[in-house]
Amino acid sequence: MKLTDIRIGVPMLRIETRVFHATPRKPTAFERVILAVADRFGVDANFNNLPLDRLFIDVLCVVDPTPIVTPTLTELITLDVIRCLSDVESLNTLTLRDIEITERGHRMIAEDMLPAKAMQNDEVFFYDPILQRLLPESQSKAYRPVPPQLSVDVTVFEDVFPEDQIRSKIQGGGYRWFSAASQIEKLESQAVQIYWKDTPSSVELKSGELVIDSIDEGLSSYISSLDCEKAYDRFIAPVFDNHDLQLELFPEIAVDNLNWENFHILPVQRVLFNWPESARVVITNLNHADPSTPDQALPQQAIIIYHDDKDADDIHFEWNENRNGCKLRVKAPAPDPSFLRLTDQHEVRCHRIQATHGGIERQFLVAYQGRISSDDELISNPLRSLSSIFNQKVSQEDLCAAVLWEGESLYMENLLRRLATSNSLLDDLVPAFYSGLADTERVNGTINRNAWDETLFNLLCECINSSEDFELSANEGLLHVLSNYGPYSEKHQSLLLQTLIQKVPLPLNLDELKAIWASFRLLYPGWTSNFPSRLLTQEILKSILESFPKKLDDDLLTEDNGFFRLISSLHQLYEKISKVVGGEGIEGLVGDDDYVALIKAQPQAGLADLAHSWVTEMESLSSALMDYDSILLGTRLELIHSKVTEIGRWSAKLIGALAKNVQSVYVFDTSALIAQPSIVASVCPNELFVVTKRVIDELDDKKLDETLRPSVSEVVRNLRRIKKEQIQFCDGEMSLLPKDYRMKGDNLILSVAVRFRTHKPTLITNDNNLSLKAQAEGIAAMTAGEFEMRIKPKTQHNDQLHRGRPQNPKGNPEGKRSKK
């Protein structure tokens, strides 16, 4: 059964090594001669007294041996192959008796090899002293220079130098400076560094025996080979250190009796030296000191310490520097003395366990930790008790500590309950609420501001609705105080203001309405009453319609109020129409002659459009008023509306927009058509030919006259040839003429020209009286002959010129192109 997981540090030796080595070579021919002569004749008395120069000159026939012999002797001495008792530079005195072959030299002669000069190289080797093997450099990267808390005793490996393994590794190859013929003379350790690797291990209880097990079998085997006392002191005792806790204070328990589904065992030090930073509430046991308790509470954490000091206060607060975490020292028994620590997440108990290790009975403490929920009685009961003490003995300033264990929701609900039953004025309730909310945010770290705003506004609405003696002036203080704690969502502001609208006394005039709006805008600067609204009484609406066109106060004009927006739009249209009308304005229009004079005056651009816009806005206003539309009757606005409607009706008698390409409008009299029938055929594409229906009737009558019949036929034939977009048949409108002209039917053609007056028409007539009447009406007139002689549009003139040219150029009767 596993008691706890541990990690044991395994060492690695980083050994910096100096390698002394040499690589043998074959002797040269001259070296062989010198060695052979010295070996063979060096002990022969007949020859060993001969100077070397005589030996080489007389026996070996070398004329000048010094340049060859001296360097060779020097090299052999350097290689420790020979020793020379005299100066090698003086061959005339140096004899074979002075040359001694060393033991190494004899071995080299036998092997026919000579050693090279001695060399040295530094290399680094990584050695695992537990497994007693060299490690490749790639495996060494898992080791670190810092020793872990639990580690193998490395002092036993201080003098370890795996010379044989290093020698074998070098001879195995892989080093550029070492060949197969090289020989290692010796190895020296230059420096040793120790590195560590954490190896996952565990302390287990097997049949009552404490055992250290590891995923590294070599480590497990090594630990089992150690002296049991040393192993216990090094690997087990530090893990289950009691930390001055008295064993007898804690009950003994058999590990087999623990419920492993809910708990897992921990060393006491892992509990006592790891503070639960994520816990909101931490209750410590007064029977022992908790070494990990911070000097001041962490943010958003309450540390509750029970004590039995009779001279202390029932509750003592120690807030941290930001006042968002606190220590509470409570004079009361601990909830459960058997606990080491209790949080809103875990309960941690401590028990004694008895087991053997190395045949010795041992007792030690273990902590076992289990999860609990926030509503578990283990934590909820002491916290409820604490809340009860709070409500009785804690100041408002310290009461916010309850946020940590009651939670934001419960704390704020309790706060609202206290405020609702305190009989405080509403404008006093709001600061108290937001003060508590600010405390909640400071202690809790965050709040759901939108949700609590809604809760507060619902409470305020309930209080307002339940109020019997409602006075708006008293609630202005509430709105002003609320504005200091905004901003609020539009939904919450509208909720409160709609409640106030239902309670406020109805305004009797616009001044009272503006006063109500001003008070509401203390809370919601952009607020406006919708339409319809309880505040907009029929009396107020009627007064606004009666005072039109008096401009509304800017404070009342908003796009959100359909009634005020339409009144404002109508006022703007009224000013534009009045500017066009001039004189006494719209109200100065009385009879038909006034309207005729108005629409015939210059300039008239846009008057009909303005009148049409006015009618549209009035229809929208009537629709918006719904059941209130009767209040329009008899008002000044209705009177103005009737006059603007009349302007629109009279403006409609004038001909409106024509095709964009029309540049000139000509209205033809019967006399002009009969006098010169050809003029009909001369209408250009951008000219409009206007004929009244009266003219058609007159033509029909005149065809009975034999003398006029050919002309009438030609006129009719030419009229039928005109494109439909170039001719317009139009009725007359005698009401547009002065009273003196209306009684005579011959003036109907003149009324048609007046209908086109905005397009500056020209009346084509051979009747001099009619021409004079047209000029009196401001209508241009010309005879049929003058029409024929008019300046025609340039495009038409060019077409006629083109049609008059010969089809083929002169000198080219067949129409062929001349070559350039």
Side-chain angles (χ1 to χ4, degrees), residues 457-704:
F457 276 74
N458 286 334
L459 175 63
L460 294 176
C461 290
E462 291 177 7
C463 295
I464 292 171
N465 284 325
S466 62
S467 174
E468 296 181 358
D469 300 325
F470 182 88
E471 293 184 7
L472 179 62
S473 58
N475 284 275
E476 288 182 358
L478 168 64
L479 299 177
H480 181 74
V481 169
L482 279 172
S483 67
N484 295 331
Y485 295 95
Y488 307 100
S489 71
E490 184 176 338
K491 171 187 173 183
H492 297 150
Q493 296 175 119
S494 298
L495 173 67
L496 180 63
L497 295 180
Q498 287 302 321
T499 302
L500 290 174
I501 287 174
Q502 299 305 315
K503 297 289 290 186
V504 69
L506 292 177
L508 300 178
N509 51 55
L510 281 178
D511 290 336
E512 291 185 5
L513 178 66
K514 287 191 291 183
I516 294 173
W517 281 31
S519 66
F520 285 2
R521 286 173 176 172
L522 291 173
L523 172 64
Y524 187 179
W527 181 85
T528 178
S529 175
N530 294 325
F531 180 81
S533 167
R534 179 174 177 270
L535 298 178
L536 295 173
T537 63
Q538 290 195 40
E539 290 76 13
I540 288 180
L541 297 179
K542 184 82 171 178
S543 67
I544 293 173
L545 300 178
E546 284 285 1
S547 62
F548 192 89
K550 180 181 178 181
K551 188 176 181 181
L552 288 173
D553 194 306
D554 289 339
D555 290 338
L556 298 177
L557 294 178
T558 101
E559 287 293 322
D560 297 330
N561 188 294
F563 176 78
F564 289 151
R565 176 179 56 78
L566 289 170
I567 292 296
S568 175
S569 178
L570 287 170
H571 188 275
Q572 294 175 10
L573 288 171
Y574 173 84
E575 289 184 339
K576 292 179 180 178
I577 296 172
S578 298
K579 185 177 182 181
V580 174
V581 172
E584 298 180 6
I586 298 175
E587 289 88 339
L589 300 173
V590 180
D592 290 350
D593 290 343
D594 291 338
Y595 291 104
V596 171
L598 171 65
I599 65 173
K600 291 167 65 176
Q602 297 295 334
Q604 289 300 318
L607 182 60
D609 292 337
L610 290 172
H612 176 73
S613 297
W614 172 278
V615 172
T616 301
E617 290 295 293
M618 282 296 295
E619 289 174 352
S620 298
L621 178 63
S622 179
S623 176
L625 287 172
M626 295 183 292
D627 297 337
Y628 293 177
D629 58 351
S630 60
I631 64 174
L632 270 170
L633 299 177
T635 63
R636 184 174 176 79
L637 178 61
E638 186 192 33
L639 173 63
I640 294 173
H641 173 60
S642 64
K643 292 182 178 294
V644 175
T645 303
E646 195 68 9
I647 291 174
R649 186 176 70 82
W650 282 95
S651 297
K653 294 182 178 183
L654 299 180
I655 299 299
L658 301 178
K660 292 182 179 180
N661 66 319
V662 174
Q663 296 180 4
S664 303
V665 177
Y666 297 99
V667 181
F668 290 87
D669 182 21
T670 309
S671 61
L673 293 176
I674 292 177
Q676 289 180 265
S678 61
I679 64 174
V680 178
S682 66
V683 176
C684 299
N686 49 6
E687 295 176 333
L688 181 65
F689 198 111
V690 179
V691 178
T692 68
K693 295 177 182 179
R694 176 68 175 271
V695 168
I696 302 300
D697 288 338
E698 289 180 354
L699 289 174
D700 193 45
D701 292 339
K702 292 185 182 295
K703 71 180 180 181
L704 300 176

Side-chain angles (χ1 to χ4, degrees), residues 727-793:
I727 189 169
Q728 184 169 331
F729 298 98
C730 183
D731 292 329
E733 181 57 61
M734 298 294 284
S735 62
L736 296 175
L737 298 177
K739 292 181 179 180
D740 296 341
Y741 290 177
R742 297 174 191 171
M743 303 304 295
K744 190 174 182 179
D746 291 344
N747 292 330
L748 187 65
I749 181 66
L750 178 60
S751 72
V752 171
V754 172
R755 292 193 67 191
F756 281 91
R757 69 179 296 112
T758 57
H759 306 290
K760 298 182 179 180
T762 301
L763 178 63
I764 310 300
T765 181
N766 287 350
D767 186 334
N768 291 332
N769 288 333
L770 184 60
S771 178
L772 288 173
K773 294 177 184 178
Q775 292 179 23
E777 286 296 309
I779 304 296
M782 64 173 59
T783 63
E786 291 172 337
F787 177 77
E788 286 253 291
M789 298 299 294
R790 76 192 185 285
I791 300 176
K792 297 182 179 181

Side-chain angles (χ1 to χ4, degrees), residues 160-175:
V160 170
F161 182 62
E163 181 174 348
D164 292 341
Q165 292 190 45
I166 293 175
R167 184 183 295 272
S168 177
K169 181 175 178 61
I170 294 173
Q171 290 175 343
Y175 297 92

